[in-house]
Amino acid sequence: MAISRRQFLKRGGLATAGTLLGPGLFGHGLRRAHAALEDNDRYFVVIFLDGGNDGLNTVIPADDIAGLRTAYNAVRDNINITPAELTNSLIGFDPISGTQLGIHPGFNVPGGFFENGAGAGGLKALYDLGKVAVVQGCGYPEYSLSHEEARVIWQTGVPLVASGGTGWIGRHLAAQYAGNQIPAVNIDDSVVGEFRQTGTSVLAVRDLERFDFPFDDDYSDDDAAKTAAFGLLNQSAVTGAQPAALFIGNTGIATYDATAAYQSLSGLYDTDRGAYAQLYSDVGRSLANDLREVARVIYGVEQGVPNVNARFFQLSNGGYDTHSDQGGAQENGQHFSLHAELGAALKVFYDDLASMPGNVANRVCVLVWSEFSRRIPQNENGTDHGSQGPMFVIGGGVQGGVYGNHPNIEESALDDEGNTVYTQDANDFRSTDFRDVYGTVLKHWVNLPVGPGPGTVQGILPLDSTVEAVSDPAHYWRSADFDLGFLP
Amino acid sequence: MADGTALTLAHARHLLRRTGFGASQAEAQEFLADHPTRGDAANALLAFKPAGFKAGGRDFDAIHDKWIKYMLKAKAPLQEKLVLFWHDHFATGISKVFDARMMANQNKLFRLNCRGNFKALVKAVNKDPAMMEYLDTPRNHAEIPNENYARELLELFTLGVKDSAGQDNYLQEDVAQIARAFSGWTYDKAAYLRDYDHDFSDDWSDRGLPVGSPTPPGNKRVFVVKGGFGGGGRDFAVNGEGEAEIDAVIDIVFEHADSQGENTVARRTARRLIEYFAHPDPSLSFIDQVVSASSFDVAFDLTPLLHAIFVHDDFYLTAGPPVGAATRKSVRWPVDYVVGSLRLLKMKPKGKYQYIDGGSYNRVVDQLSNMGQLVFDPPSVFGWDWETSWVSSATMLARYSFARDLIAARGGGSSSFRPEKLVDLGLTDPSAIVTAATDTLGMTGDLTAGEAATLVAYLTDNGANPSLDLNDYDTRNRKLHGLFALLMQMPAYQLQ
């Protein structure tokens, strides 16, 4: 009879290497009995654009029907994207003003930009397939211009509380999954803010191929004894209750378990899906490589690899803090390159998923965010920190199009700092609260009840009800809209 | 909190671990014999003469490996620990600066000022070319300001966004005003780097710096609302424009008072040093007592502040084993883990490429990258995230691999793991062997009885072989090597 390693650790007895390393290490946790991604066989991927992506040069007014183009030209000089440069990357219309919008030309990746034409067409191609929701003007009250503070706000989903705390997805994971499951994987060195919580195990992986436990190869006959001792030493830290030791002990146990299950995924994927594996390499940037790791795990789940059950993923891409040398529509510009990379990587990822058995692309939803947008008036050749910006939601199940209003960029409408103003007033420029975007995902994709109460959308995303300034409710998020429309 | 308090052996080990890269039981005993009180010990640790940095190369690998070598060889490891602290505090990365020589010069700046005057250090950082590049000072113009440096100066280098009571320390308009003072500054790169290869002994700090067209005249006013300067705030162009003006900004920032009327820079700097050297979440009284004892809020001299921290009772709160929910042990930094282990095991990375001679044969720089810490290339201007942010499945695997690589280094010579130089091979009793290994790694007293029993069970294969012959090649290589790997992989060794 096979004995699970966890049971073995608790008993502290003898076992052979075979039973120690065998399957069934951590797959028997008790699932809590309410809605979850598993129930619809879905996946959710979060991509963080680290540094503050310039929203105004991401979704750009292409005509002047409502004066937005004139306002744009007044604030963007040597990084201006002209209407002519937007010709091949036009998307829909701003819902209320009717302005024709374009996405940065970098999103329509030219065929020769990456090796072998990988990812050509980029995000624009996916938009034309109806798989991209562009959600404009996403922000929150009392915006912060600090990278860290703003990032924490987006990751926790709680703007008006000082800092720290659990991540918005982490709160869902803690309510939904038992402590010995690994429902979430992030491609990074450390557990990311969205996933932070105390209950479940999140796997931080940089490279699945090298995700194996390091034994002394010269004395592999001692591996089982080392494994047993290693497990007991981590277990000791967990029972000792010192917070840092407990964290390290839990991580050690989960890491050992995961090495047994996850290291096979890379070989499996590369064997079965070599052509796609190559396309990510052709894009050749870290984001593409990281998305391939996500694809490898998803493929492993789809193929029923034992003990690989992850449904939530997070990865990030850096370089968006374009205080200088931002560039305009030129292919050698910094912002162009960033958008080309994101668009091409997503295109390859989508095509990869769409061609997996079972049309996986229809069951994967990708959310793209950044901690803030950038200053409306540019500086010498870049942009300083700003307030609201666009988000993207991408996937086969997404209802593509433009959602939310373009922020009002008239100079007279900007605040003293030169940033657009957050408002929930029902005027032409009403902002999209980023929590409504999260809430729409939680309600329509993760299938959580609206609530209130623990484990519901409202439980995860509290309204700004504690704010004193009731005199001006338009400045705060006091009424949720979890039906923004981009997910059915 | 007294200089005269007698140091204990456990406290000596803690002090050497926190201010350096760890000490074996024998080294701690020797240190204690020479420095019987906390005051003696603090004086001795702080007595080093700050020395510069000879990079010996012009690319990232060269300066990275050179700094690691400095740490491995350091006779005054506290200097290296302090330079690492300032590198994290004034985080600057080669991934944006692009020039290893400028990074090396900044490292030298931190070395020479590492325990000097904090206000002077901030003024020097204002004009450090690596920092200027990293936070866009040359791209900050009067007509088109770039706020990058001004914001981080307040948020990260001096005040912090919020004070100890959770109140904002400054407003966006303060950032904008300070950005105006720094507009127009740049540096002459050719002049600055002219003598890079051979002129490290003299004071290079003024060469070529700063130049350009200083900010146009005009008054600037800051801290009208925050900082305790009253309704008029403070004007900082009154001493003149130009270099005097950016120095005046720092003078004013250092007078900033938090919402409780205490000096904001003093409290925040003391807090960060305590978090780095002692433990996370220090009490406000610990912070205020060391500031007051050292007059840091008046003079901003770092040596007295560090001394006050190293003799304070709270510094020693975490000297014991990691037991109980209330204790606040710190997680060792990757650099500390790597350098400390190599020093304690008396091993050197091998060859020009500084690799570990066993297991994966990875270079030290790659091992550290996998653990999440590349010096000279922090992830952002925030530096590294500390404490449990160091810990994840990816980074722990990197630590486990490094430990394995060390004990699998069997190629011979000083790059090899040679336990015969650390442990008496005549020992046969498994408990005595565990004790000898923990003494070597500076972990004396850090293991619970259960953990020690686990390791004895490992050595004896659960009692099957109750006595070990370490002189037998295979027994030694299998079990003694394995014991050291397990010790370096276990949670207790990740803590300090």
Side-chain angles (χ1 to χ4, degrees):
Chain A
M1 184 192 90
I3 169 175
S4 86
R5 185 172 154 275
R6 194 168 298 279
Q7 288 170 312
F8 168 70
L9 290 174
K10 285 191 180 132
R11 295 183 196 178
L14 272 167
T16 67
T19 55
L20 282 170
L21 300 170
L25 301 185
F26 57 93
H28 304 297
L30 290 173
R31 266 267 311 288
R32 318 237 168 126
H34 50 78
L37 284 182
E38 283 85 344
D39 298 342
N40 292 305
D41 216 3
R42 288 173 176 174
Y43 304 87
F44 183 49
V45 181
V46 179
I47 299 179
F48 167 41
L49 309 183
D50 191 351
N53 175 48
D54 181 21
L56 189 51
N57 270 15
T58 295
V59 179
I60 305 151
D63 69 28
D64 207 26
I65 191 169
L68 275 176
R69 186 67 213 182
T70 300
Y72 176 85
N73 288 335
V75 292
R76 295 299 168 97
D77 175 26
N78 58 5
I79 62 168
N80 189 303
I81 314 282
T82 66
E85 288 163 339
L86 288 168
T87 310
N88 293 321
S89 58
L90 295 175
I91 53 168
F93 298 88
D94 185 35
I96 294 187
S97 75
T99 304
Q100 169 71 59
L101 299 169
I103 47 178
H104 191 288
F107 283 125
N108 191 348
V109 188
F113 196 81
F114 294 114
E115 294 278 313
N116 302 316
L123 195 72
K124 175 64 162 67
L126 295 177
Y127 186 90
D128 291 344
L129 287 172
K131 308 302 184 192
V132 179
V134 176
V135 189
Q136 301 192 96
C138 301
Y140 57 89
E142 300 179 19
Y143 66 91
S144 169
L145 294 177
S146 152
H147 287 291
E148 179 164 81
E149 209 174 41
R151 174 169 50 76
V152 168
I153 285 167
W154 279 80
Q155 289 177 332
T156 58
V158 189
L160 302 172
V161 172
S163 67
T166 55
W168 69 280
I169 301 172
R171 292 195 286 279
H172 168 64
L173 299 177
Q176 179 75 24
Y177 297 90
N180 58 350
Q181 292 179 297
I182 300 181
V185 173
N186 63 244
I187 313 300
D188 204 337
D189 284 331
S190 54
V191 175
V192 296
E194 285 100 326
F195 290 168
R196 197 161 292 152
Q197 32 97 21
T198 50
T200 63
S201 297
V202 175
L203 207 59
V205 189
R206 266 228 310 217
D207 184 351
L208 287 168
E209 207 161 4
R210 293 189 299 162
F211 200 66
D212 58 342
F213 196 87
F215 287 110
D216 182 357
D217 291 338
D218 292 341
Y219 290 90
S220 51
D221 60 347
D222 200 42
D223 288 358
K226 288 189 176 86
T227 300
F230 177 80
L232 287 168
L233 292 169
N234 281 294
Q235 201 65 50
S236 167
V238 170
T239 50
Q242 199 281 326
L246 185 146
F247 193 91
I248 295 169
N250 270 329
T251 304
I253 292 168
T255 301
Y256 181 81
D257 286 357
T259 54
Y262 274 74
Q263 73 181 108
S264 67
L265 298 179
S266 182
L268 173 70
Y269 174 90
D270 290 4
T271 302
D272 290 2
R273 309 201 50 82
Y276 284 96
Q278 180 58 40
L279 285 175
Y280 293 101
S281 296
D282 288 338
V283 174
R285 307 280 186 86
S286 65
L287 183 71
N289 288 328
D290 290 353
L291 268 174
R292 179 170 50 200
E293 300 298 65
V294 174
R296 283 169 168 158
V297 178
I298 290 177
Y299 187 66
V301 179
E302 289 290 313
Q303 293 296 304
V305 174
N307 303 314
V308 177
N309 305 305
R311 295 280 164 176
F312 295 85
F313 303 88
Q314 195 272 9
L315 55 163
S316 64
N317 198 35
Y320 293 85
D321 198 13
T322 51
H323 284 282
S324 50
D325 297 322
Q326 179 171 321
Q330 309 77 14
E331 287 194 16
N332 59 0
Q334 210 182 145
H335 210 214
F336 187 103
S337 172
L338 289 164
H339 286 336
E341 174 181 11
L342 175 64
L346 284 168
K347 177 71 163 54
V348 170
F349 184 60
Y350 182 88
D351 290 347
D352 184 7
L353 298 172
S355 73
M356 286 180 189
N359 201 353
V360 184
N362 282 356
R363 294 184 277 117
V364 176
C365 176
V366 181
L367 177 82
V368 182
W369 67 281
S370 190
E371 75 267 37
F372 42 62
S373 181
R374 305 195 74 81
R375 196 68 46 85
I376 298 306
Q378 71 165 91
N379 61 30
E380 182 186 48
N381 56 10
T383 44
D384 287 329
H385 302 177
S387 56
Q388 309 157 89
M391 298 170 77
F392 296 126
V393 187
I394 301 137
V398 170
Q399 305 188 126
V402 177
Y403 297 86
N405 304 315
H406 196 284
N408 189 350
I409 56 168
E410 288 284 349
E411 270 182 304
S412 59
L414 303 178
D415 65 17
D416 291 347
E417 273 62 81
N419 293 318
T420 59
V421 177
Y422 172 95
T423 175
Q424 290 291 294
D425 252 345
N427 63 32
D428 288 359
F429 294 101
R430 177 181 171 157
S431 311
T432 308
D433 196 286
F434 77 100
R435 290 163 289 184
D436 284 328
V437 180
Y438 290 178
T440 301
V441 169
L442 289 171
K443 179 181 171 190
H444 294 272
W445 191 251
V446 185
N447 268 333
L448 293 190
V450 171
T456 67
V457 187
Q458 286 183 9
I460 289 168
L461 299 168
L463 294 166
D464 296 339
S465 52
T466 57
V467 177
E468 293 167 15
V470 278
S471 57
D472 197 356
H475 285 171
Y476 297 96
W477 187 60
R478 296 173 165 279
S479 120
D481 179 2
F482 298 146
D483 300 298
L484 290 182
F486 54 79
L487 285 167
Chain B
M1 155 155 174
D3 274 39
T5 305
L7 205 59
T8 68
L9 185 56
H11 287 184
R13 193 175 52 245
H14 179 67
L15 182 65
L16 292 172
R17 178 155 57 193
R18 299 316 314 268
T19 62
F21 296 106
S24 68
Q25 184 75 342
E27 287 163 342
Q29 278 163 343
E30 194 180 328
F31 182 83
L32 178 62
D34 293 342
H35 312 291
T37 68
R38 291 180 187 175
D40 295 337
N43 285 335
L45 291 171
L46 286 161
F48 67 88
K49 183 174 182 297
F53 184 66
K54 293 189 202 308
R58 289 165 173 253
D59 62 15
F60 170 75
D61 283 0
I63 62 172
H64 177 277
D65 288 357
K66 194 60 178 284
W67 190 5
I68 300 296
K69 273 189 196 169
Y70 268 69
M71 296 188 211
L72 288 170
K73 290 180 180 170
K75 294 200 167 58
L78 177 55
Q79 180 177 12
E80 302 302 330
K81 274 290 183 74
L82 281 165
V83 175
L84 191 56
F85 175 83
W86 295 122
H87 177 43
D88 178 80
H89 186 83
F90 297 108
T92 306
I94 194 166
S95 50
K96 181 166 175 183
V97 174
F98 286 127
D99 194 312
R101 297 171 297 175
M102 285 158 62
M103 296 301 300
N105 274 353
Q106 187 192 62
N107 190 273
K108 184 182 178 189
L109 172 74
F110 293 152
R111 276 165 195 280
L112 298 179
N113 291 275
C114 68
R115 62 167 184 79
N117 186 274
F118 183 54
K119 196 195 283 190
L121 176 57
V122 176
K123 287 180 179 177
V125 167
N126 278 346
K127 304 165 201 165
D128 173 61
M131 177 59 83
M132 291 170 87
E133 278 302 332
Y134 195 61
L135 293 183
D136 294 313
T137 301
R139 291 166 285 282
N140 179 7
H141 306 287
E143 325 77 67
I144 318 169
N146 185 311
E147 295 171 355
N148 208 2
Y149 183 73
R151 177 178 316 284
E152 308 309 3
L153 172 67
L154 297 185
E155 176 174 342
L156 301 173
F157 305 159
T158 56
L159 301 177
V161 173
K162 295 186 193 304
D163 66 15
S164 302
Q167 299 296 309
D168 286 332
N169 280 327
Y170 55 89
L171 305 178
Q172 163 63 20
E173 62 207 50
D174 298 318
V175 172
Q177 285 296 303
I178 289 174
R180 290 182 64 205
F182 284 91
S183 67
W185 289 109
T186 185
Y187 64 100
D188 179 342
K189 186 165 180 174
Y192 174 61
L193 293 172
R194 195 186 317 122
D195 298 325
Y196 173 76
D197 283 329
H198 55 271
D199 189 13
F200 275 95
S201 55
D202 67 348
D203 177 14
W204 47 269
S205 61
D206 285 332
R207 184 186 310 139
L209 307 168
V211 298
S213 51
T215 175
N219 199 19
K220 296 102 183 170
R221 177 169 296 183
V222 280
F223 301 134
V224 176
V225 177
K226 301 286 182 179
F229 293 95
R234 185 65 70 86
D235 301 336
F236 54 77
V238 292
N239 295 327
E241 304 283 340
E243 193 163 1
E245 188 180 25
I246 58 175
D247 281 352
V249 169
I250 303 305
D251 290 333
I252 294 169
V253 168
F254 274 68
E255 287 175 39
H256 185 289
D258 65 18
S259 65
Q260 296 167 327
E262 300 295 327
N263 185 284
T264 314
V265 173
R267 263 188 169 176
R268 179 163 182 278
T269 310
R271 174 187 291 277
R272 284 186 52 87
L273 282 164
I274 289 170
E275 286 171 346
Y276 180 72
F277 282 111
H279 56 248
D281 302 323
S283 71
L284 199 54
S285 66
F286 185 4
I287 294 165
D288 286 344
Q289 283 167 22
V290 298
V291 167
S292 150
S294 61
S295 301
F296 188 69
D297 51 343
V298 179
F300 299 103
D301 283 326
L302 290 160
T303 296
L305 176 65
L306 291 163
H307 184 106
I309 293 170
F310 298 155
V311 302
H312 197 283
D313 286 347
D314 278 13
F315 177 82
Y316 297 94
L317 280 179
T318 49
V323 288
T327 57
R328 287 170 284 188
K329 299 289 272 191
S330 278
V331 178
R332 290 175 83 166
W333 290 24
V335 162
D336 203 350
Y337 183 82
V338 166
V339 172
S341 301
L342 285 164
R343 284 175 65 118
L344 289 163
L345 298 177
K346 305 192 190 311
M347 292 171 68
K348 289 179 188 154
K350 188 163 187 168
K352 176 172 183 260
Y353 296 105
Q354 295 286 292
Y355 65 92
I356 303 301
D357 196 19
S360 68
Y361 294 89
N362 269 333
R363 299 181 57 186
V364 168
V365 60
D366 294 328
Q367 304 261 17
L368 281 165
S369 175
N370 292 341
M371 291 180 207
Q373 187 173 32
L374 273 182
V375 296
F376 293 116
D377 196 15
S380 76
V381 68
F382 299 97
W384 290 276
D385 286 341
W386 301 1
E387 300 306 338
T388 50
S389 294
W390 292 119
V391 178
S392 73
S393 32
T395 56
M396 290 311 294
L397 264 188
R399 292 190 187 208
Y400 304 153
S401 296
F402 180 76
R404 185 276 312 270
D405 288 0
L406 289 180
I407 63 95
R410 299 185 168 101
S414 62
S415 300
S416 296
F417 178 62
R418 292 175 294 178
E420 65 273 19
K421 300 208 176 285
L422 310 166
V423 170
D424 176 5
L425 296 188
L427 292 173
T428 56
D429 173 53
S431 296
I433 294 169
V434 170
T435 300
T438 52
D439 282 353
T440 300
L441 289 171
M443 300 173 76
T444 310
D446 287 351
L447 272 56
T448 66
E451 288 162 353
T454 293
L455 292 167
V456 166
Y458 163 74
L459 285 177
T460 62
D461 283 319
N462 292 301
N465 308 300
S467 169
L468 282 83
D469 176 9
L470 296 179
N471 283 304
D472 174 67
Y473 179 87
D474 279 334
T475 302
R476 183 171 73 247
N477 274 272
R478 182 180 291 111
K479 288 298 187 185
L480 186 57
H481 286 230
L483 172 65
F484 271 93
L486 284 166
L487 284 168
M488 289 186 283
Q489 290 166 342
M490 72 182 288
Y493 189 68
Q494 319 308 320
L495 299 171
Q496 56 184 5

